Amino acid sequence: MRRNDDMTTVENNARILPGSPQWDELLGRIAAGAKDRDLNDENPFDEVSALKRAGFGTLRLPHELGGPGLTVPQLFSAVVDVARADPVVAHIFRTHFWFVEERLRTVSGDPASLHWLRKVADGQLFGNAFSEKGSNAVGSLVFNTRLLPDPAGGYRLDGEKFYSTGTLFSDYLTVTATTDHDSVATVVVPADRTGVKLIDDWDGFGQRRTGTGTTVFKNVAVTTDEILADSPYDAAAVPSVQYASLQLFIHAVVAGILAGVVDDGVTLLRSRDRSFSHAPTDRPTDDPLLQRLLGELASTAYVAKAAVLDAAEAIATATTSAATTPDGNPDARLAQDAQIKVAQVKVHLDAIAPEAATRLLELGGASAASRQKGLDRHWRNIRTITLHNPVAYKAVAIGANLLHDTPLPANAYF
């Protein structure tokens, strides 16, 4: 499969900022082909490249590192915008922004983070190779992928990952592996390094072209400066929002899909020339029942985005608090508040979003089921992306925390 090899440095005069006319034009072009890409099962290589050239991946970089310095809520607002145009394209950048956030969090005390942020400033995209198939519990931080010393120097990486979202489009991959001294290492390797094989075999019925397939590492050379972290399996979890951003990204994509549902609802209603003989009006656009349904869908989309941005503000507040704590970690209560808000967003959106995508079809009647219209993609995409984590566990954790102040699970899957 072809991988995006656009290595163009993002220059200030090439950057397109969210909210600008150029941003709207770019997203309009991405949206124009979204239905056909889904219908034809096509990878959005060109669309990802266009966003890279526009500097989308650099939005959180401060001015001194060559970025526009957007806030956390501003970033998530932009993610919703991209997901409105095409949620598949937006999803591809999920791990990239988590990687950037982690490097920003550690840059003051870790020169290596500055090195990687400069790669981001150059327009490089970072994908993930974290999850594995097998019998190990999800989120247990036990991996069959191994990072072992090479007698000739450096290390060698061997293993197989799945759900590797974004790898097919990425320049670098973040990989988790077990070391020879019973710890977990996170490394970064170029996606085109010898021994790395990207297999486009994700077969989900939604979010189909996010590059979420198998990644194989066979005797891949790893240098010492490519190791980001090396910590024990049982390392104590500190109050953090590092995984809250990773989870909120999913909900931002759902919010964007809901906005797309509204867009398609307006188009669908305006395209209808007739109604039923027993309808209250001759023109569907004048029908108060259909107007009400469209208004309800628009309200659902608005509240979804508002909830995402409110949780993003909580993440920003907790992240900023780290500058004033003795250990340099976010304030524990603020971090927990952000995590709870992100979990609450999921519990709510999982209940309302699939229903909204279903009700969209009622604005068009039987003809709305035409494959060429592609309206079913909204439900398929929502339902697929909401399956990333069990909503029941989220709701239980929220309730237990409210009743007993029970700590929330401290792993990337909550």
Side-chain angles (χ1 to χ4, degrees):
M1 282 290 186
R2 177 171 69 95
R3 186 180 67 83
N4 175 21
D5 292 311
D6 183 356
M7 303 290 283
T8 305
T9 298
V10 179
E11 301 290 349
N12 288 334
N13 59 6
R15 181 176 289 113
I16 297 175
L17 292 178
S20 68
Q22 294 84 359
W23 174 254
D24 294 339
E25 181 184 353
L26 172 59
L27 295 190
R29 294 198 303 270
I30 291 173
K35 174 180 69 68
D36 289 337
R37 285 191 296 274
D38 178 81
L39 190 63
N40 299 323
D41 208 19
E42 297 175 351
N43 282 313
F45 287 111
D46 292 340
E47 291 68 29
V48 172
S49 291
L51 282 170
K52 286 176 63 179
R53 290 192 301 271
F56 181 56
T58 72
L59 291 182
R60 278 285 289 145
L61 295 185
H63 295 290
E64 58 268 26
L65 292 179
L70 264 62
T71 65
V72 173
Q74 286 172 330
L75 169 65
F76 276 98
S77 181
V79 171
V80 173
D81 288 346
V82 176
R84 180 179 186 174
D86 188 339
V88 171
V89 174
H91 193 179
I92 288 165
F93 286 82
R94 181 189 177 210
T95 306
H96 172 85
F97 283 115
W98 172 77
F99 178 86
V100 172
E101 209 64 32
E102 282 300 283
R103 305 289 74 73
L104 289 173
R105 184 177 65 86
T106 58
V107 68
S108 61
D110 182 7
S113 288
L114 181 60
H115 165 76
W116 294 112
L117 288 174
R118 284 174 175 155
K119 295 285 187 183
V120 173
D122 285 340
Q124 305 301 286
L125 184 62
F126 291 76
N128 98 93
F130 186 93
S131 299
E132 298 179 353
K133 292 181 178 180
S135 59
N136 293 327
V138 178
S140 64
L141 295 181
V142 177
F143 301 103
N144 293 320
T145 300
R146 302 281 286 177
L147 180 71
L148 301 175
D150 184 345
Y155 298 83
R156 292 284 167 172
L157 181 68
D158 286 275
E160 184 174 301
K161 300 289 187 174
F162 197 61
Y163 301 118
S164 309
T165 301
T167 53
L168 200 65
F169 307 85
S170 298
D171 303 293
Y172 290 90
L173 310 181
T174 56
V175 191
T176 48
T178 300
T179 72
D180 62 328
H181 49 276
D182 294 329
S183 66
V184 178
T186 301
V187 303
V188 181
V189 296
D192 59 358
R193 179 163 288 173
T194 301
V196 177
K197 185 177 182 180
L198 310 177
I199 304 174
D200 194 9
D201 59 348
W202 163 241
D203 64 349
F205 60 68
Q207 296 296 103
R208 292 191 297 191
R209 286 296 158 189
T210 56
T212 309
T214 301
T215 307
V216 178
F217 302 92
K218 187 173 182 180
N219 199 32
V220 177
V222 177
T223 62
T224 301
D225 59 5
E226 290 173 333
I227 299 176
L228 291 178
D230 187 350
S231 57
Y233 288 122
D234 59 352
V238 297
S240 173
V241 291
Q242 61 175 322
Y243 299 132
S245 294
L246 197 61
Q247 296 305 316
L248 188 60
F249 197 99
I250 290 176
H251 315 329
V253 172
V254 173
I257 297 173
L258 290 173
V261 164
V262 177
D263 293 337
D264 278 354
V266 171
T267 300
L268 182 61
L269 260 183
R270 287 176 174 170
S271 71
R272 293 181 59 184
D273 297 323
R274 62 174 186 165
S275 190
F276 291 88
S277 60
H278 52 285
T281 63
D282 293 332
R283 292 168 53 85
T285 53
D286 297 329
D287 188 330
L289 298 178
L290 298 179
Q291 290 174 346
R292 173 182 174 176
L293 174 53
L294 183 61
E296 290 172 346
L297 293 177
S299 301
T300 296
Y302 170 79
V303 171
K305 183 175 182 179
V308 167
L309 296 185
D310 180 70
E313 189 64 53
I315 291 174
T317 300
T319 300
T320 303
S321 72
T324 61
T325 59
D327 58 3
N329 291 313
D331 176 85
R333 280 293 167 184
L334 292 176
Q336 179 175 274
D337 178 61
Q339 292 172 310
I340 288 175
K341 284 187 174 182
V342 171
Q344 288 173 326
V345 172
K346 175 180 173 61
V347 172
H348 182 60
L349 290 190
D350 275 26
I352 65 169
E355 177 67 14
T358 297
R359 298 201 70 195
L360 163 66
L361 302 177
E362 297 173 19
L363 294 173
S367 63
S370 166
R371 287 191 64 197
Q372 294 304 312
K373 290 185 183 296
L375 297 175
D376 62 306
R377 74 185 189 279
H378 296 304
W379 185 91
R380 288 187 287 104
N381 286 332
I382 287 173
R383 200 64 192 97
T384 300
I385 202 167
T386 55
L387 290 173
H388 274 64
N389 300 283
V391 67
Y393 295 162
K394 299 271 189 179
V396 167
I398 295 167
N401 179 269
L402 287 171
L403 291 170
H404 309 298
D405 202 22
T406 304
L408 302 178
N411 66 67
Y413 292 91
F414 184 84

